[in-house]
Amino acid sequence: MERRTDKRCPFCGEGLREEAVFCRYCNRDLEDEEFLRSRVRVRQMAMLLLAIFGIGVLLALIGSLR
Ligand SMILES: [Zn+2]
């Protein structure tokens, strides 16, 4: 019985096994793609937190001036 493929290569679109770390069709590293994507997410989250923190500091400054 053949195993069902749940994952696709983002580069060539071939079906891969869920636990595959590299594509056996185009030999690209799949972990790289996921790592880069997660790094972008972390950066977006950091920017959001920084913005919230900045607004908080600004409001505290405005409050202390009154
Ligand atoms: Zn591929």
Side-chain angles (χ1 to χ4, degrees), residues 1-55:
M1 196 174 100
E2 203 174 332
R3 218 194 125 127
R4 195 169 64 89
T5 56
D6 335 282
K7 189 176 177 178
R8 278 191 181 277
C9 173
F11 305 106
C12 68
E14 291 288 347
L16 301 169
R17 291 188 350 189
E18 188 57 46
E19 63 270 29
V21 290
F22 76 94
C23 177
R24 64 194 162 113
Y25 299 99
C26 65
N27 289 317
R28 293 239 213 181
D29 199 337
L30 301 173
E31 295 253 294
D32 265 1
E33 170 84 356
E34 275 170 31
F35 174 71
L36 284 173
R37 233 185 284 167
S38 72
R39 217 167 57 161
V40 167
R41 255 203 307 268
V42 165
R43 200 189 296 175
Q44 281 173 342
M45 194 65 86
M47 293 283 274
L48 191 72
L49 284 173
L50 207 68
I52 290 166
F53 179 74
I55 289 164

